[in-house]
Amino acid sequence: MNKLICLFLLVGGIIAVVYGFNASQSVASSFSRLFTGQPTDHTVWLLLGGGIAMVLGVSGLLRDAKIL
């Protein structure tokens, strides 16, 4: 069961990072960068949350495999 959760975290993290990257290329993010120098909050949360979920998923899968 733990392996399944880690796999879902990994896949969900990958999906969130892909959506975050696509959001960073959007018109709204371009305007935000133009005026504030930073992408939108939504983009940042997708990239950060996806990255954290991917790290947790990979570390959980590797810990279950007794590699770490």
Side-chain angles (χ1 to χ4, degrees):
M1 183 68 174
N2 193 17
K3 231 181 219 188
L4 186 62
I5 292 171
C6 292
L7 186 63
F8 281 141
L9 277 172
L10 178 61
V11 171
I14 291 170
I15 291 170
V17 167
V18 168
Y19 276 122
F21 180 73
N22 286 336
S24 72
Q25 305 301 318
S26 70
V27 174
S29 191
S30 296
F31 277 118
S32 178
R33 273 194 305 271
L34 177 68
F35 293 113
T36 65
Q38 298 175 352
T40 60
D41 289 342
H42 181 71
T43 301
V44 172
W45 283 113
L46 278 172
L47 291 171
L48 283 176
I52 291 170
M54 284 178 13
V55 167
L56 289 174
V58 167
S59 66
L61 287 173
L62 291 178
R63 186 173 305 128
D64 286 347
K66 305 291 184 200
I67 292 175
L68 289 179

